[in-house]
Amino acid sequence: MKLFKETKHLVSSNVSAAERTVEEAERFWFSFVLYSLNRLSEKGGDSAQQKSDENRFTLCQILRATRLNIVYFFEELPQFVVKAGLVLTNMYGEDWETRLEAKEMQANFEHLTLISKSYKRAFRELFLSSDANIGKQESATGAPDYLSKYHRFGWLLFLALRVHAFSHFADVVTCTIGFVSVLAILILHVPICYRNFKINDSPHFVKKGEKGVDLLASLCNMYDASEADLRRTLKMTNKLMEDILKKRPCPASECKTETLEHIDTDGLVYFDGLLEEQSFLSNLSILENDYDDATRNRGDLDERLFINEEDSLLGFGSLSGEDVNISGIKRKFDSIPSPSKTISSPLSPHCHRASHVNGVLGPLNGKVASTPVSTAMTTAKWLRSFICPLPSRPSAELQHFLSSCDKDVTNDVIRRAHIILEAIFPCSHDCSLTGSLRSANLMDNTWMEQRRLEALKLYYRVLEAMCTAEAQILRAPNLTSLLTNERFHRCMLACSAELVLATHKTATMLFPTVLGRTGITAFDLSKVIESFIRHEKSLPRELKRHLNSLEERLLESMVWDKGSSLYNTLIVARPALSSEINRLGLLAEPMPSLDAIAMHINFSEGIPTVPSLQKHETSPSNFGSLILGQNGDVRSPKRLCTDYRSVLVERNSFTSPVKDRLLAFSNLRKAPLQSVFASPTRPNPVGGGETCAETGINIFFSKINKLAAVRINGMVERLQLSQEIRESVYFLFQQILSQRTSLFFNHHIDQIILCCLYVVAKLSQLELPFKEITSNYRKQLQGRPEVYCSVFVDRSSTQQNGRTRQDHVGIVAFYNTKFIPAIKHLLEELDLSRTTTRTTQVPESNNSNDGPCPGSPKVASFPSLPDMSPMKVSAKHNVYVSPLRASKMDALISHSARSYYACVGESTHAFQSPSKDLTAINNQLNSTRNIRIKLKFDDLEGGLVSDSMVANSLYLQSGSHTLASSPGAALKSEQPES
């Protein structure tokens, strides 16, 4: 009640900003209060520990009581975290956000949603879904019921593995290997009459030897898993069954049972009677009770709901009986699991043509269909294949560059890499743990050591490529300025570690964890992302687009946060801003020294410290500066991160609103890396008299303008506004960035864009209320309610009535109190005489040739955006390729929009180029156009396109092929638009 009373005045603002009723807002607030109480109190002290088990409640119980589903809950939780942050700090301490584990819980839920779908799909492919092929006598005994129980047994065994052997929030790759080990056990033990395959003649089991099918190798081939990891996980699974179910394992080679026929049993274990009728139900009950006992006091999700088909909690229904609005939250969540449902998703692993073997529809070569889980496994395979075989020390070529500096810095580079990566991937040395906790701790340490080694090898590989390129630019092998720059190396290490984490899809070490643990800021990291992508040629498209999405996230808000090193550069490049920057206390603290980080993590080193390397970064007096984050992380001080955007969209889906758009900055000025990381006051050798700070800010502002152009174009198209409106909004945004830069401080650039849209529409006398703008913004791929519901406002000089100041307000309050007063004189430069109409079609971005509006001074024409207009791709046929418009996305990703038009174009082979994919598609169509093929529509992952989508997008002509390629391209058989 105390927490509710302290925050209840915020409920009213949540009603207006989120466009919901008072009753709905109250139910959300009740759930947030209960969830916070449950998570924070249970770890808050002795009194909390004395609570009885009966007084604890889980998140599922909270959601049932408040009649909410999980998708809505996690969508709205960030607003509560932002608005109630001060109250939670006063009640529960500075570390409340870490203990709340809200982002981890959301990531865990989304990961398990994907994994449960993959498990269901695999079970459905391997075992019968009906009694069609079972004898009448067996069918009468309730075969389908046993199948459902086998399905539940497998999931409970997987959960036992997560609880007892894996960490609390295990990564997707580890969990996938876990459920593959469960599949192996089910194949060995489920009675053969329930199988949907013939083991010796199946497209799934293609790895065979003299003794029969190599089961584990075949499963690894299907899921791109490591056989060593699968064997290790299978041993843990077998040990769990031995300990929990009290079953005695027998070597499979000594057992004679029909389920083992035609299988190479060497190294496999069999449990007699595991799934037989006499003991199966008892074993099932034991697993249920074990899960209850292990999770009773956690207050987490009950992970059994993923096989309980509780649609009301999972987000596909409403506990109150109300219809779910699929255009909002559910629309965005539905797009998460399927890479083919969004034009922006870069998930593009190999897809395989379907084949019919033994009457069973399945992929060729035993590969599973393309899903986010299979994509994660494919990307992890790249890490195993390309990075793991590399040496764990600098190569001879890299050592040449390191030794060619003014002094040999090889040992310094090696020492720094080990310290920073151990800070990012720490190991626990708690010897007091016993039982399953000790087992999970040992596995966590092994996982950390493996990821640390992968990041180290990737760092050395890319560093060598960068040195080679930098030496060619400077025409000299001496790269002392770059290779002795502490900030540069930490950015490279952070980027390498983030790619490794993104590959494995962790739920705990979410970005920006690497920033805090390396002591750098978002602005620092943004300097190396483009170079990192350019110099690692083998990087899969999924990881390139992850970095692309990451750079977008940095540019849109994180570089503007308090404590960003951007402000240290701005006060040099734009001295007029220094007073405002200092007044708000935005400057970054000195970067923690390497010695301080080593001391904090108790790093045991064999190489002596070389503090002289720090002289290029900070003054010696700053070496002792060490700031600890809430987890004890060594970090530069920043405003508490409250960016809770969908975790899968950020990392696990590798999503970016326009394909590779932040890689399209080739028209921007490039500078040698050593000048990018040089002291801000140092003259830029290629900057025409500019300082390094001025050059860096100019490039940074160019990137901000490019990103803003993409987002303005998307909003104008969705709102069906004219091209003149788009030009005026973009011009106003540019003017604010250059002349009223302080308006961006502590803000998200989308907040500025939304305000620009509204003021231009208002001056143009268009009926465009803020409610319509925000509701359409929410439908954008980057749209999140907290962007317009929680806008930072500095009230230090306007505090009234002694009331606790509220630093976050709605977008309308920000517009009225801060935005308009700051830009009044800029509005006089706008000429809006031609912008008084709305249109039903926005011209393509690349066709913006009308020029600036008359009378508007220094209007920069709207920039050319990549891939925004049809491009002819065939010399012989009228076939054009262009991206699907954002306005068509709702039709594309809706479950109800089913038709015979299918979204094709997912990569046919791993790491293959789009041009080869399209060639393969055309070849398939040309070779099979006279063959009638039965289509299968029961898989929600298919990315089906609606009839209205096709009718609005494609103009069909007789005798031509029509395709919709994904992600991001639609092949059109039509004449170019005039």
Side-chain angles (χ1 to χ4, degrees):
M1 286 304 298
K2 179 182 178 183
L3 179 57
F4 180 74
K5 289 178 180 179
E6 292 284 340
T7 60
K8 66 179 181 181
H9 67 279
L10 303 174
V11 177
S12 58
S13 63
N14 198 45
V15 174
S16 58
E19 304 171 13
R20 58 171 50 92
T21 66
V22 174
E23 189 270 341
E24 289 174 331
E26 287 179 345
R27 283 196 284 125
F28 274 109
W29 218 260
F30 293 156
S31 66
F32 300 152
V33 168
L34 290 172
Y35 173 76
S36 302
L37 174 73
N38 203 39
R39 297 294 300 178
L40 300 177
S41 296
E42 67 182 17
K43 302 177 183 180
D46 296 336
S47 61
Q49 297 298 324
Q50 294 172 1
K51 289 168 53 179
S52 64
D53 292 342
E54 291 75 13
N55 290 334
R56 295 188 184 275
F57 40 85
T58 66
L59 177 57
C60 292
Q61 291 174 307
I62 295 173
L63 295 179
R64 290 191 184 97
T66 52
R67 305 195 312 280
L68 297 173
N69 64 53
I70 299 173
V71 179
Y72 278 102
F73 176 82
F74 282 124
E75 180 74 15
E76 301 297 323
L77 180 60
Q79 296 181 58
F80 174 81
V81 170
V82 172
K83 294 181 178 180
L86 184 60
V87 176
L88 292 172
T89 299
N90 293 335
M91 290 184 63
Y92 296 106
E94 294 288 341
D95 64 339
W96 65 266
E97 191 175 16
T98 301
R99 291 157 51 205
L100 193 66
E101 293 184 325
K103 288 184 286 187
E104 290 81 0
M105 287 280 285
Q106 180 183 358
N108 186 55
F109 165 68
E110 292 174 340
H111 290 173
L112 282 174
T113 300
L114 299 176
I115 291 169
S116 65
K117 286 187 175 184
S118 293
Y119 171 68
K120 290 178 183 178
R121 187 182 301 108
F123 191 90
R124 192 166 58 239
E125 290 177 355
L126 293 173
F127 302 103
L128 297 174
S129 57
S130 69
D131 58 349
N133 297 329
I134 305 176
K136 294 182 178 179
Q137 181 178 358
E138 293 163 323
S139 178
T141 64
D145 184 58
Y146 265 105
L147 277 171
S148 66
K149 285 182 169 56
Y150 293 148
H151 179 264
R152 186 173 187 84
F153 177 87
W155 185 253
L156 288 172
L157 187 57
F158 167 71
L159 294 183
L161 193 63
R162 279 173 53 86
V163 169
H164 296 288
F166 297 164
S167 62
H168 184 30
F169 296 125
D171 65 285
V172 168
V173 173
T174 299
C175 287
T176 301
I177 295 175
F179 92 71
V180 172
S181 73
V182 170
L183 289 179
I185 290 174
L186 291 177
I187 291 171
L188 294 176
H189 294 86
V190 170
I192 196 171
C193 61
Y194 299 119
R195 285 181 180 175
N196 203 23
F197 61 90
K198 295 180 180 178
I199 190 69
N200 58 344
D201 186 21
S202 169
H204 297 294
F205 306 104
V206 295
K207 300 294 184 179
K208 300 178 181 179
E210 296 180 356
K211 298 182 178 180
V213 170
D214 189 331
L215 180 61
L216 300 187
S218 295
L219 289 172
C220 288
N221 177 70
M222 290 170 59
Y223 290 93
D224 284 325
S226 162
E227 188 169 346
D229 290 342
L230 179 58
R231 290 187 181 278
R232 182 165 52 250
T233 305
L234 184 59
K235 285 184 179 179
M236 290 189 289
T237 311
N238 289 333
K239 185 69 166 59
L240 279 177
M241 290 195 293
E242 185 177 354
D243 294 340
I244 299 175
L245 300 179
K246 309 302 180 185
K247 293 291 183 180
R248 187 174 64 86
C250 301
S253 57
E254 300 177 3
C255 300
K256 302 298 181 181
T257 174
E258 60 180 357
T259 60
L260 300 178
E261 291 179 358
H262 307 293
I263 295 178
D264 185 353
T265 55
D266 289 349
L268 298 180
V269 171
Y270 185 80
F271 293 90
D272 190 36
L274 179 67
L275 301 183
E276 292 182 359
E277 293 185 17
Q278 297 84 349
S279 59
F280 172 57
L281 295 181
S282 173
N283 294 336
L284 194 63
S285 177
I286 292 173
L287 287 177
E288 295 269 12
N289 294 333
D290 176 77
Y291 183 80
D292 283 332
D293 293 338
T295 61
R296 180 176 292 117
N297 296 331
R298 284 186 177 178
D300 293 344
L301 278 174
D302 186 338
E303 296 168 352
R304 291 171 294 188
L305 67 88
F306 293 100
I307 55 170
N308 290 342
E309 303 297 337
E310 295 187 50
D311 289 349
S312 57
L313 282 184
L314 289 175
F316 308 122
S318 172
L319 288 176
S320 60
E322 302 167 353
D323 291 334
V324 176
N325 177 14
I326 65 171
S327 65
I329 299 167
K330 184 176 183 295
R331 178 193 71 82
K332 293 171 71 173
F333 184 77
D334 285 344
S335 67
I336 289 173
S338 176
S340 58
K341 290 182 181 179
T342 167
I343 64 170
S344 63
S345 175
L347 296 174
S348 49
H350 42 275
C351 282
H352 304 274
R353 292 182 291 111
S355 65
H356 289 268
V357 180
N358 300 329
V360 179
L361 182 65
L364 293 175
N365 302 322
K367 292 288 187 179
V368 298
S370 171
T371 66
V373 171
S374 66
T375 300
M377 300 302 291
T378 301
T379 311
K381 184 178 181 180
W382 166 81
L383 205 57
R384 283 198 315 275
S385 304
F386 285 82
I387 304 304
C388 289
L390 297 175
S392 58
R393 292 184 62 85
S395 65
E397 184 67 20
L398 178 56
Q399 286 189 31
H400 170 71
F401 287 113
L402 299 177
S403 60
S404 297
C405 295
D406 293 346
K407 56 167 278 187
D408 190 344
V409 297
T410 302
N411 289 340
D412 306 325
V413 169
I414 293 174
R415 174 179 178 268
R416 181 192 299 105
H418 283 282
I419 291 175
I420 296 298
L421 289 178
E422 187 163 327
I424 297 174
F425 300 101
C427 289
S428 172
H429 303 286
D430 190 349
C431 301
S432 63
L433 299 176
T434 58
S436 61
L437 290 178
R438 180 177 177 82
S439 175
N441 181 67
L442 291 174
M443 186 170 183
D444 282 350
N445 286 347
T446 301
W447 188 90
M448 289 289 188
E449 291 170 0
Q450 291 174 342
R451 304 295 81 80
R452 190 188 308 145
L453 191 58
E454 290 167 352
L456 179 68
K457 294 177 178 180
L458 180 59
Y459 161 71
Y460 285 146
R461 177 185 174 99
V462 180
L463 181 61
E464 177 186 335
M466 282 189 176
C467 288
T468 302
E470 193 79 357
Q472 291 175 354
I473 294 174
L474 300 175
R475 298 180 179 178
N478 189 332
L479 304 177
T480 300
S481 178
L482 181 67
L483 293 178
T484 57
N485 188 289
E486 183 73 17
R487 198 174 293 268
F488 164 71
H489 284 287
R490 294 199 194 182
C491 289
M492 290 289 295
L493 289 163
C495 204
S496 301
E498 175 61 25
L499 280 181
V500 170
L501 291 169
T503 297
H504 290 270
K505 298 191 178 183
T506 64
T508 50
M509 300 175 67
L510 302 171
F511 190 81
T513 297
V514 293
L515 298 184
R517 296 186 181 182
T518 55
I520 62 175
T521 72
F523 184 63
D524 298 328
L525 188 63
S526 68
K527 297 176 183 179
V528 302
I529 289 180
E530 187 179 351
S531 296
F532 200 102
I533 295 172
R534 190 165 61 248
H535 291 103
E536 180 43 62
K537 303 298 184 182
S538 71
L539 203 65
R541 283 181 290 174
E542 293 78 11
L543 294 183
K544 288 180 181 178
R545 288 167 183 168
H546 171 67
L547 288 180
N548 190 19
S549 176
L550 193 64
E551 183 177 17
E552 183 176 321
R553 181 181 171 188
L554 296 174
L555 294 176
E556 70 183 12
S557 63
M558 294 188 68
V559 294
W560 301 103
D561 281 351
K562 180 179 180 180
S564 171
S565 58
L566 166 67
Y567 298 111
N568 299 59
T569 304
L570 268 178
I571 60 174
V572 177
R574 305 284 194 273
L577 296 172
S578 59
S579 60
E580 182 69 5
I581 291 173
N582 288 320
R583 185 184 73 82
L584 295 174
L586 300 177
L587 287 174
E589 293 291 332
M591 187 174 65
S593 69
L594 194 63
D595 291 340
I597 296 177
M599 183 180 300
H600 176 67
I601 63 175
N602 296 321
F603 180 75
S604 56
E605 49 191 316
I607 302 174
T609 62
V610 188
S612 60
L613 287 184
Q614 299 280 352
K615 68 182 179 182
H616 296 278
E617 184 56 45
T618 61
S619 62
S621 61
N622 290 329
F623 285 174
S625 175
L626 177 65
I627 297 169
L628 303 184
Q630 295 175 357
N631 287 320
D633 301 339
V634 180
R635 59 184 299 175
S636 295
K638 293 186 286 290
R639 187 177 62 183
L640 191 62
C641 177
T642 54
D643 189 353
Y644 278 78
R645 74 162 62 182
S646 170
V647 180
L648 285 185
V649 170
E650 286 172 354
R651 164 178 289 170
N652 302 323
S653 289
F654 308 117
T655 301
S656 180
V658 172
K659 173 185 174 184
D660 286 342
R661 66 171 175 241
L662 291 183
L663 297 180
F665 292 145
S666 57
N667 60 323
L668 302 179
R669 277 184 295 170
K670 298 294 191 300
L673 275 173
Q674 65 179 22
S675 64
V676 172
F677 283 92
S679 171
T681 57
R682 178 180 173 182
N684 184 5
V686 294
E690 292 180 337
T691 64
C692 290
E694 290 172 319
T695 302
I697 289 299
N698 289 336
I699 294 176
F700 171 71
F701 278 12
S702 297
K703 289 187 176 185
I704 293 291
N705 283 325
K706 192 81 171 182
L707 177 58
V710 173
R711 297 195 171 178
I712 290 170
N713 188 69
M715 284 297 295
V716 167
E717 181 182 276
R718 185 175 289 279
L719 291 166
Q720 298 183 340
L721 301 175
S722 66
Q723 183 177 1
E724 288 76 21
I725 288 282
R726 181 180 66 182
E727 295 278 357
S728 297
V729 171
Y730 180 64
F731 170 69
L732 180 58
F733 180 91
Q734 285 184 306
Q735 295 303 303
I736 295 173
L737 181 62
S738 62
Q739 299 184 36
R740 287 291 181 267
T741 310
S742 60
L743 204 54
F744 286 81
F745 296 172
N746 279 324
H747 289 130
H748 194 294
I749 69 166
D750 287 356
Q751 294 165 351
I752 310 300
I753 291 173
L754 296 180
C755 290
C756 289
L757 271 168
Y758 180 78
V759 72
V760 169
K762 194 173 184 66
L763 293 177
S764 304
Q765 299 179 353
L766 292 178
E767 289 295 328
L768 186 61
F770 246 125
K771 181 177 180 180
E772 183 177 351
I773 293 175
T774 55
S775 62
N776 279 278
Y777 170 75
R778 191 163 180 168
K779 296 176 183 178
Q780 294 292 99
L781 288 173
Q782 81 278 4
R784 291 169 291 131
E786 60 266 29
V787 170
Y788 56 85
C789 290
S790 303
V791 186
F792 177 81
V793 172
D794 176 50
R795 294 184 179 273
S796 58
S797 59
T798 60
Q799 188 171 343
Q800 299 177 353
N801 302 328
R803 183 179 176 181
T804 302
R805 98 183 157 206
Q806 182 179 350
D807 289 334
H808 290 85
V809 298
I811 187 75
V812 175
F814 167 74
Y815 172 86
N816 289 328
T817 60
K818 298 294 181 181
F819 183 79
I820 287 298
I823 67 156
K824 272 186 177 180
H825 84 281
L826 297 179
L827 298 179
E828 299 173 0
E829 301 179 18
L830 288 175
D831 181 358
L832 303 172
S833 59
R834 298 194 295 133
T835 62
T836 56
T837 59
R838 298 179 76 163
T839 181
T840 58
Q841 183 176 2
V842 178
E844 297 286 359
S845 301
N846 284 359
N847 297 333
S848 306
N849 298 321
D850 294 342
C853 302
S856 298
K858 295 186 284 188
V859 174
S861 60
F862 199 83
S864 175
L865 301 179
D867 299 330
M868 297 304 289
S869 63
M871 179 180 63
K872 193 167 186 178
V873 294
S874 172
K876 298 181 180 179
H877 307 288
N878 276 338
V879 180
Y880 292 80
V881 61
S882 69
L884 295 173
R885 291 172 176 264
S887 56
K888 310 295 183 184
M889 283 304 300
D890 290 342
L892 175 64
I893 65 176
S894 173
H895 277 330
S896 60
R898 298 192 179 194
S899 74
Y900 287 98
Y901 298 100
C903 198
V904 296
E906 290 297 324
S907 191
T908 52
H909 294 83
F911 323 128
Q912 182 165 282
S913 67
S915 61
K916 292 181 180 179
D917 294 339
L918 294 174
T919 300
I921 294 166
N922 289 334
N923 291 338
Q924 290 179 16
L925 287 175
N926 290 330
S927 63
T928 61
R929 57 185 175 185
N930 295 323
I931 301 175
R932 297 179 62 86
I933 301 176
K934 183 178 179 181
L935 301 179
K936 184 177 181 181
F937 296 107
D938 58 351
D939 188 357
L940 297 183
E941 300 289 341
L944 301 176
V945 184
S946 69
D947 292 321
S948 60
M949 162 76 198
V950 176
N952 291 334
S953 300
L954 306 177
Y955 175 73
L956 303 181
Q957 293 183 344
S958 58
S960 6
H961 297 302
T962 301
L963 298 175
S965 71
S966 170
L971 285 178
K972 298 182 180 181
S973 177
E974 63 179 347
Q975 298 295 336
E977 296 178 356
S978 59

